[in-house]
Amino acid sequence: MQNREPYMQKIIGNRYTKTKASFEKSLCLFLYQLGKKGKSLKTCLNISGLGMQFKGVKAVQNVSMNLEEGKLYALIGTNGAGKTTIINMISGVLKPTAGTICFQETDITGMRPDRIAKMGVTRTYQNLRLFKKMTVLDNVLMGAQMHSTCGAWESVFQTSRFRENEKSMREHARKMLDIMGIAAFEKEFAGSLPYGNQRKLEIARILASNPKLLLLDEPAAGMNPQESHELVDIIRGIQKEFGLTILLIEHDMKVVMNLCEYIYCMAAGEVIAEGGPEAIRNNPRVIEAYLGKRASHVTN
Amino acid sequence: MKYRENAAVRFVCFVLLPLLILIYSAINRGHYYSDLICLFGIHLILATSLNLVNGFSGMFSMGHAAFMAVGAYTSALLTISETQKARISGLPEWFQKFTLPFPLALLCAGLVAALLALLIGFPVLRLKSHYLSVATLGLIVIVRAFLDNEDQFTNGARGITGLPSYSTIFSVFLTGLILLYIMYRLIRCSSYGRGLIAMRDDDVAAQTLGVRIVTKKISIFCLSAFAAGIGGALWGHLQTVISGQFFYFTDSFEIVEMSIIGGMYSLSGGIVGALVMTFLPEILAPLETGIMIGGFQLPELYGASNLIMAVFLILLIIFRRQGILGDSEIIVESIFSKSTYTGIFKAETYRKLVDITKAKLTGKKKEKTAK
Ligand SMILES: Nc1ncnc2c1ncn2[C@@H]1O[C@H](COP(=O)(O)OP(=O)(O)O)[C@@H](O)[C@H]1O
Ligand SMILES: [Mg+2]
């Protein structure tokens, strides 16, 4: 939203000398264009020529993607296609062997994971990486404290700034738990939660850090149909409410087709197709490599 | 009602107990038992500070003796008298007459130890698990070799004598309390500590949540060394004689043992470990010289106390690997509350026990009603 204001001022400034009617007309025109373009004014993440090689194995080759701000993207592909590896590279867990990653026009290729996270790129893990011996609330506080400027020594002297900071972080964390619908478990250990709730907790944890880009690695894996349906609703909700850009890895084609505006399809480390749900559904290479019978099932 | 209980507990812990200890130490200064209590206080500082690294950061260091030695020598050189200093050949002129008051000397001891930790931290903390442990053992050897061979500053293997006996129950426990308070606040009540425990649980996830692993590891290693340096200095001022041989493998292992026995995942675990390791050998000592029990004269059992300690440690490792306290902290107010003790058992086993007893009770009731 803030990014749009300068544009507005520029246009208003230019037209200010003209008559009121023409000014209003141009404003309407501008707003119309804005509406037509939607939120696609800025690029959030740009990946080009990305490659990752583990000794002999080429896990990812020459992958390029362009994620625009405020949209929901899906990354699909068979097991071992290299989807998780891509998320690992974006979040800095792995250093790519080729190509570049730009986040909001900053080159983040090979940057330390903590710095990338502080820029607002956050992720969840396919195999869950919760802090199992910490409470649910503490897990979310780990996200909430990411941008905290309160030094360690302030906690020793219990300064008022420290106490206020801690209090507001707790409130914020509770709100996130509430959004994900697991506020009732805040005092339990993360490891003792049922599987579905652990997945939700992982999302709450990164949501608490005021992220700009979410990379969700199979967030519905292992959930029963009802839970996964709930989760889809929540993801759609938070994406709208916070205006987030989301890259979602998901196997359930119904979810992907309904939820996402743009889909990348991978096979054997390469992007073999990209486009809107319709285009992907009818793409012969996708059907051949991945969708098979399920695609026809969905279309029917 | 609850408030009153808390107030009473606080009164006992913070006013009555320290007062009694102070009076006792004033009367029995230099007495064997007051020295023993001092030793407990020093062990407490050492074990809790080791827990910072071994329990809370997920590394496993065994090099505490090295930091103790550095602290003890620093404080010794800063406090001994001119005549004592004259025996050490290589001290510069200006340093001969230079002495610091005890609190400042302690602070310097801690800082120099922390500096050593900072220097070796960068190469050593890159190592994982047991490689790190071996490297820290190497540090002990290096420090020992330095102390024994660098005659000009350390008086070589003869060591330094005539340290002022500044370590009283008062000074030791005051220092210990301050250090414990700082550690407790940092570990249990701050973002720093939360990040540290998160790093131990899962370092990859912690990194992608903005935790910088290197800084975390180095800073906690330095903090631990800082406290160890102060502990070593206090130890020097208690014994009044120091030399390289007092800070070697066995001394390091003893502290590691304390932290394991008490439970390395909690600060209070260090206290409990220090308590056990300081007083249990004393209690067992009479066995070695032969005692009368109920009219029987037991034979002299040399080494019995060591043997019993060893068996105790083995049993503990088998049946309660996480130490006596596990990862629960003793908080003054909760000493008298029931939940503290239920927390020491695994919550699940406790629940099962309750369920079983409940089932039995209700079963009996049902039987009765059926009859
Ligand atoms: N750390 C690693 N070392 C070696 N090979 C790896 C590593 N991580 C992934 N791979 C390989 O890279 C390929 C892609 O894996 P991955 O990204 O996990 O696939 P996906 O998430 O799409 O199922 C697989 O063939 C896998 O064996
Ligand atoms: Mg995967």
Side-chain angles (χ1 to χ4, degrees), chain A residues 193-225:
Chain A
L193 287 185
Y195 194 74
N197 285 348
Q198 291 197 13
R199 288 238 173 253
K200 287 181 187 168
L201 174 58
E202 226 188 15
I203 297 178
R205 184 173 74 176
I206 55 170
L207 216 54
S209 70
N210 288 331
K212 290 171 184 145
L213 173 64
L214 294 192
L215 308 164
L216 305 179
D217 198 347
E218 304 197 18
M223 285 187 170
N224 62 39

mmCIF file of all heavy atoms in Angstrom, chain A residues 193-225:
data_model
loop_
_atom_site.group_PDB
_atom_site.id
_atom_site.type_symbol
_atom_site.label_atom_id
_atom_site.label_comp_id
_atom_site.label_asym_id
_atom_site.label_seq_id
_atom_site.Cartn_x
_atom_site.Cartn_y
_atom_site.Cartn_z
ATOM 1 N N LEU A 193 2.062 -31.760 20.828
ATOM 2 C CA LEU A 193 0.854 -31.452 20.054
ATOM 3 C C LEU A 193 0.584 -32.546 19.017
ATOM 4 O O LEU A 193 1.515 -33.188 18.541
ATOM 5 C CB LEU A 193 1.028 -30.135 19.297
ATOM 6 C CG LEU A 193 0.986 -28.837 20.068
ATOM 7 C CD1 LEU A 193 1.062 -27.679 19.088
ATOM 8 C CD2 LEU A 193 -0.249 -28.721 20.909
ATOM 9 N N PRO A 194 -0.685 -32.755 18.658
ATOM 10 C CA PRO A 194 -0.958 -33.653 17.531
ATOM 11 C C PRO A 194 -0.386 -33.073 16.239
ATOM 12 O O PRO A 194 -0.175 -31.868 16.118
ATOM 13 C CB PRO A 194 -2.484 -33.716 17.485
ATOM 14 C CG PRO A 194 -2.972 -32.607 18.319
ATOM 15 C CD PRO A 194 -1.909 -32.270 19.291
ATOM 16 N N TYR A 195 -0.149 -33.959 15.288
ATOM 17 C CA TYR A 195 0.599 -33.608 14.087
ATOM 18 C C TYR A 195 0.031 -32.397 13.348
ATOM 19 O O TYR A 195 0.761 -31.464 12.991
ATOM 20 C CB TYR A 195 0.619 -34.829 13.173
ATOM 21 C CG TYR A 195 1.618 -34.729 12.063
ATOM 22 C CD1 TYR A 195 2.967 -34.880 12.320
ATOM 23 C CD2 TYR A 195 1.202 -34.486 10.766
ATOM 24 C CE1 TYR A 195 3.885 -34.794 11.303
ATOM 25 C CE2 TYR A 195 2.121 -34.398 9.750
ATOM 26 C CZ TYR A 195 3.463 -34.552 10.021
ATOM 27 O OH TYR A 195 4.363 -34.452 9.007
ATOM 28 N N GLY A 196 -1.274 -32.394 13.146
ATOM 29 C CA GLY A 196 -1.898 -31.299 12.405
ATOM 30 C C GLY A 196 -1.646 -29.954 13.065
ATOM 31 O O GLY A 196 -1.345 -28.957 12.393
ATOM 32 N N ASN A 197 -1.734 -29.940 14.395
ATOM 33 C CA ASN A 197 -1.510 -28.692 15.112
ATOM 34 C C ASN A 197 -0.050 -28.259 15.079
ATOM 35 O O ASN A 197 0.254 -27.068 15.114
ATOM 36 C CB ASN A 197 -1.975 -28.819 16.558
ATOM 37 C CG ASN A 197 -3.488 -28.769 16.665
ATOM 38 O OD1 ASN A 197 -4.162 -28.425 15.687
ATOM 39 N ND2 ASN A 197 -4.014 -29.134 17.808
ATOM 40 N N GLN A 198 0.856 -29.245 15.010
ATOM 41 C CA GLN A 198 2.269 -28.884 14.886
ATOM 42 C C GLN A 198 2.505 -28.138 13.579
ATOM 43 O O GLN A 198 3.249 -27.165 13.533
ATOM 44 C CB GLN A 198 3.146 -30.135 14.922
ATOM 45 C CG GLN A 198 3.157 -30.807 16.274
ATOM 46 C CD GLN A 198 4.315 -31.771 16.442
ATOM 47 O OE1 GLN A 198 5.254 -31.784 15.665
ATOM 48 N NE2 GLN A 198 4.241 -32.582 17.475
ATOM 49 N N ARG A 199 1.826 -28.598 12.521
ATOM 50 C CA ARG A 199 1.954 -27.912 11.230
ATOM 51 C C ARG A 199 1.447 -26.480 11.338
ATOM 52 O O ARG A 199 2.056 -25.556 10.821
ATOM 53 C CB ARG A 199 1.164 -28.664 10.150
ATOM 54 C CG ARG A 199 1.796 -29.963 9.737
ATOM 55 C CD ARG A 199 2.075 -29.939 8.236
ATOM 56 N NE ARG A 199 2.836 -31.102 7.822
ATOM 57 C CZ ARG A 199 4.107 -31.071 7.480
ATOM 58 N NH1 ARG A 199 4.771 -29.938 7.491
ATOM 59 N NH2 ARG A 199 4.729 -32.158 7.113
ATOM 60 N N LYS A 200 0.314 -26.325 12.028
ATOM 61 C CA LYS A 200 -0.241 -24.972 12.183
ATOM 62 C C LYS A 200 0.685 -24.104 13.021
ATOM 63 O O LYS A 200 0.863 -22.916 12.742
ATOM 64 C CB LYS A 200 -1.611 -25.053 12.855
ATOM 65 C CG LYS A 200 -2.687 -25.584 11.933
ATOM 66 C CD LYS A 200 -4.006 -25.619 12.647
ATOM 67 C CE LYS A 200 -5.048 -26.314 11.784
ATOM 68 N NZ LYS A 200 -6.260 -26.612 12.566
ATOM 69 N N LEU A 201 1.280 -24.718 14.043
ATOM 70 C CA LEU A 201 2.188 -23.960 14.898
ATOM 71 C C LEU A 201 3.378 -23.439 14.095
ATOM 72 O O LEU A 201 3.830 -22.308 14.291
ATOM 73 C CB LEU A 201 2.671 -24.837 16.057
ATOM 74 C CG LEU A 201 3.730 -24.232 16.965
ATOM 75 C CD1 LEU A 201 3.234 -22.926 17.576
ATOM 76 C CD2 LEU A 201 4.120 -25.195 18.069
ATOM 77 N N GLU A 202 3.853 -24.256 13.171
ATOM 78 C CA GLU A 202 4.995 -23.814 12.381
ATOM 79 C C GLU A 202 4.635 -22.578 11.551
ATOM 80 O O GLU A 202 5.459 -21.682 11.380
ATOM 81 C CB GLU A 202 5.489 -24.951 11.480
ATOM 82 C CG GLU A 202 6.992 -25.082 11.527
ATOM 83 C CD GLU A 202 7.549 -26.059 10.528
ATOM 84 O OE1 GLU A 202 6.829 -26.442 9.597
ATOM 85 O OE2 GLU A 202 8.713 -26.429 10.683
ATOM 86 N N ILE A 203 3.405 -22.537 11.070
ATOM 87 C CA ILE A 203 2.982 -21.352 10.315
ATOM 88 C C ILE A 203 2.816 -20.157 11.247
ATOM 89 O O ILE A 203 3.236 -19.042 10.933
ATOM 90 C CB ILE A 203 1.687 -21.636 9.536
ATOM 91 C CG1 ILE A 203 1.954 -22.748 8.503
ATOM 92 C CG2 ILE A 203 1.207 -20.385 8.801
ATOM 93 C CD1 ILE A 203 0.747 -23.147 7.705
ATOM 94 N N ALA A 204 2.220 -20.407 12.431
ATOM 95 C CA ALA A 204 2.050 -19.313 13.395
ATOM 96 C C ALA A 204 3.399 -18.715 13.769
ATOM 97 O O ALA A 204 3.543 -17.499 13.914
ATOM 98 C CB ALA A 204 1.351 -19.830 14.652
ATOM 99 N N ARG A 205 4.388 -19.575 13.889
ATOM 100 C CA ARG A 205 5.721 -19.141 14.306
ATOM 101 C C ARG A 205 6.329 -18.169 13.307
ATOM 102 O O ARG A 205 6.864 -17.124 13.705
ATOM 103 C CB ARG A 205 6.604 -20.382 14.446
ATOM 104 C CG ARG A 205 7.982 -20.115 14.956
ATOM 105 C CD ARG A 205 8.709 -21.401 15.230
ATOM 106 N NE ARG A 205 9.119 -22.051 13.994
ATOM 107 C CZ ARG A 205 9.846 -23.164 13.967
ATOM 108 N NH1 ARG A 205 10.192 -23.751 15.080
ATOM 109 N NH2 ARG A 205 10.183 -23.706 12.813
ATOM 110 N N ILE A 206 6.219 -18.470 12.003
ATOM 111 C CA ILE A 206 6.808 -17.545 11.036
ATOM 112 C C ILE A 206 5.908 -16.325 10.819
ATOM 113 O O ILE A 206 6.380 -15.242 10.560
ATOM 114 C CB ILE A 206 7.130 -18.222 9.689
ATOM 115 C CG1 ILE A 206 5.913 -18.898 9.107
ATOM 116 C CG2 ILE A 206 8.273 -19.179 9.844
ATOM 117 C CD1 ILE A 206 6.136 -19.346 7.682
ATOM 118 N N LEU A 207 4.614 -16.532 10.989
ATOM 119 C CA LEU A 207 3.688 -15.411 10.813
ATOM 120 C C LEU A 207 3.952 -14.317 11.839
ATOM 121 O O LEU A 207 3.764 -13.130 11.568
ATOM 122 C CB LEU A 207 2.256 -15.929 10.959
ATOM 123 C CG LEU A 207 1.183 -15.310 10.090
ATOM 124 C CD1 LEU A 207 1.574 -15.367 8.643
ATOM 125 C CD2 LEU A 207 -0.122 -16.051 10.314
ATOM 126 N N ALA A 208 4.419 -14.733 13.022
ATOM 127 C CA ALA A 208 4.673 -13.776 14.100
ATOM 128 C C ALA A 208 5.824 -12.839 13.789
ATOM 129 O O ALA A 208 5.992 -11.823 14.446
ATOM 130 C CB ALA A 208 4.952 -14.523 15.395
ATOM 131 N N SER A 209 6.637 -13.183 12.778
ATOM 132 C CA SER A 209 7.803 -12.347 12.507
ATOM 133 C C SER A 209 7.513 -11.267 11.466
ATOM 134 O O SER A 209 8.446 -10.690 10.920
ATOM 135 C CB SER A 209 8.967 -13.225 12.040
ATOM 136 O OG SER A 209 8.687 -13.734 10.749
ATOM 137 N N ASN A 210 6.237 -10.983 11.215
ATOM 138 C CA ASN A 210 5.851 -9.999 10.197
ATOM 139 C C ASN A 210 6.553 -10.235 8.869
ATOM 140 O O ASN A 210 7.276 -9.370 8.379
ATOM 141 C CB ASN A 210 6.156 -8.575 10.660
ATOM 142 C CG ASN A 210 5.206 -8.149 11.743
ATOM 143 O OD1 ASN A 210 4.072 -8.619 11.796
ATOM 144 N ND2 ASN A 210 5.677 -7.296 12.631
ATOM 145 N N PRO A 211 6.367 -11.406 8.283
ATOM 146 C CA PRO A 211 7.110 -11.734 7.068
ATOM 147 C C PRO A 211 6.522 -11.035 5.847
ATOM 148 O O PRO A 211 5.428 -10.479 5.896
ATOM 149 C CB PRO A 211 6.926 -13.241 6.957
ATOM 150 C CG PRO A 211 5.595 -13.494 7.565
ATOM 151 C CD PRO A 211 5.423 -12.475 8.647
ATOM 152 N N LYS A 212 7.298 -11.054 4.748
ATOM 153 C CA LYS A 212 6.786 -10.546 3.481
ATOM 154 C C LYS A 212 6.523 -11.689 2.522
ATOM 155 O O LYS A 212 5.633 -11.619 1.701
ATOM 156 C CB LYS A 212 7.797 -9.585 2.871
ATOM 157 C CG LYS A 212 7.892 -8.299 3.667
ATOM 158 C CD LYS A 212 9.032 -7.438 3.197
ATOM 159 C CE LYS A 212 9.151 -6.215 4.089
ATOM 160 N NZ LYS A 212 10.555 -5.825 4.255
ATOM 161 N N LEU A 213 7.350 -12.712 2.633
ATOM 162 C CA LEU A 213 7.219 -13.859 1.739
ATOM 163 C C LEU A 213 7.185 -15.137 2.568
ATOM 164 O O LEU A 213 8.029 -15.347 3.428
ATOM 165 C CB LEU A 213 8.421 -13.892 0.786
ATOM 166 C CG LEU A 213 8.576 -15.107 -0.131
ATOM 167 C CD1 LEU A 213 7.430 -15.220 -1.107
ATOM 168 C CD2 LEU A 213 9.902 -15.028 -0.871
ATOM 169 N N LEU A 214 6.171 -15.956 2.333
ATOM 170 C CA LEU A 214 6.097 -17.246 3.023
ATOM 171 C C LEU A 214 6.433 -18.355 2.043
ATOM 172 O O LEU A 214 5.891 -18.393 0.940
ATOM 173 C CB LEU A 214 4.684 -17.507 3.555
ATOM 174 C CG LEU A 214 4.085 -16.642 4.644
ATOM 175 C CD1 LEU A 214 2.816 -17.308 5.164
ATOM 176 C CD2 LEU A 214 5.051 -16.442 5.772
ATOM 177 N N LEU A 215 7.316 -19.238 2.456
ATOM 178 C CA LEU A 215 7.603 -20.421 1.654
ATOM 179 C C LEU A 215 7.078 -21.622 2.436
ATOM 180 O O LEU A 215 7.635 -21.987 3.460
ATOM 181 C CB LEU A 215 9.114 -20.553 1.430
ATOM 182 C CG LEU A 215 9.813 -19.302 0.884
ATOM 183 C CD1 LEU A 215 11.317 -19.405 1.067
ATOM 184 C CD2 LEU A 215 9.474 -19.092 -0.573
ATOM 185 N N LEU A 216 5.972 -22.180 1.983
ATOM 186 C CA LEU A 216 5.344 -23.262 2.741
ATOM 187 C C LEU A 216 5.622 -24.594 2.063
ATOM 188 O O LEU A 216 5.168 -24.842 0.947
ATOM 189 C CB LEU A 216 3.836 -23.033 2.847
ATOM 190 C CG LEU A 216 3.406 -21.688 3.441
ATOM 191 C CD1 LEU A 216 1.891 -21.574 3.458
ATOM 192 C CD2 LEU A 216 3.948 -21.514 4.843
ATOM 193 N N ASP A 217 6.375 -25.454 2.758
ATOM 194 C CA ASP A 217 6.762 -26.737 2.178
ATOM 195 C C ASP A 217 5.785 -27.822 2.614
ATOM 196 O O ASP A 217 5.869 -28.325 3.725
ATOM 197 C CB ASP A 217 8.196 -27.077 2.595
ATOM 198 C CG ASP A 217 8.807 -28.132 1.706
ATOM 199 O OD1 ASP A 217 8.069 -28.766 0.940
ATOM 200 O OD2 ASP A 217 10.039 -28.319 1.780
ATOM 201 N N GLU A 218 4.871 -28.154 1.749
ATOM 202 C CA GLU A 218 3.839 -29.166 2.001
ATOM 203 C C GLU A 218 3.181 -28.998 3.376
ATOM 204 O O GLU A 218 3.274 -29.877 4.223
ATOM 205 C CB GLU A 218 4.449 -30.567 1.868
ATOM 206 C CG GLU A 218 5.093 -30.751 0.514
ATOM 207 C CD GLU A 218 5.355 -32.209 0.160
ATOM 208 O OE1 GLU A 218 4.744 -33.085 0.787
ATOM 209 O OE2 GLU A 218 6.141 -32.447 -0.756
ATOM 210 N N PRO A 219 2.512 -27.871 3.586
ATOM 211 C CA PRO A 219 1.938 -27.611 4.911
ATOM 212 C C PRO A 219 0.795 -28.552 5.263
ATOM 213 O O PRO A 219 0.475 -28.702 6.434
ATOM 214 C CB PRO A 219 1.439 -26.169 4.804
ATOM 215 C CG PRO A 219 1.219 -25.955 3.359
ATOM 216 C CD PRO A 219 2.239 -26.788 2.650
ATOM 217 N N ALA A 220 0.189 -29.169 4.267
ATOM 218 C CA ALA A 220 -0.957 -30.034 4.572
ATOM 219 C C ALA A 220 -0.582 -31.506 4.600
ATOM 220 O O ALA A 220 -1.437 -32.364 4.786
ATOM 221 C CB ALA A 220 -2.070 -29.803 3.558
ATOM 222 N N ALA A 221 0.716 -31.796 4.451
ATOM 223 C CA ALA A 221 1.132 -33.203 4.436
ATOM 224 C C ALA A 221 0.794 -33.868 5.762
ATOM 225 O O ALA A 221 1.024 -33.304 6.823
ATOM 226 C CB ALA A 221 2.626 -33.296 4.171
ATOM 227 N N GLY A 222 0.223 -35.050 5.686
ATOM 228 C CA GLY A 222 -0.087 -35.793 6.902
ATOM 229 C C GLY A 222 -1.346 -35.362 7.609
ATOM 230 O O GLY A 222 -1.680 -35.880 8.672
ATOM 231 N N MET A 223 -2.048 -34.377 7.049
ATOM 232 C CA MET A 223 -3.293 -33.949 7.676
ATOM 233 C C MET A 223 -4.459 -34.748 7.098
ATOM 234 O O MET A 223 -4.406 -35.181 5.942
ATOM 235 C CB MET A 223 -3.552 -32.469 7.396
ATOM 236 C CG MET A 223 -2.682 -31.537 8.198
ATOM 237 S SD MET A 223 -3.224 -29.851 7.923
ATOM 238 C CE MET A 223 -2.296 -28.982 9.167
ATOM 239 N N ASN A 224 -5.517 -34.894 7.898
ATOM 240 C CA ASN A 224 -6.702 -35.535 7.333
ATOM 241 C C ASN A 224 -7.452 -34.514 6.481
ATOM 242 O O ASN A 224 -7.205 -33.306 6.587
ATOM 243 C CB ASN A 224 -7.568 -36.153 8.430
ATOM 244 C CG ASN A 224 -8.092 -35.117 9.399
ATOM 245 O OD1 ASN A 224 -8.463 -34.026 8.993
ATOM 246 N ND2 ASN A 224 -8.107 -35.444 10.674
ATOM 247 N N PRO A 225 -8.373 -34.963 5.601
ATOM 248 C CA PRO A 225 -9.016 -34.046 4.650
ATOM 249 C C PRO A 225 -9.652 -32.823 5.319
ATOM 250 O O PRO A 225 -9.529 -31.707 4.811
ATOM 251 C CB PRO A 225 -10.092 -34.920 3.998
ATOM 252 C CG PRO A 225 -9.582 -36.297 4.121
ATOM 253 C CD PRO A 225 -8.796 -36.356 5.381
#
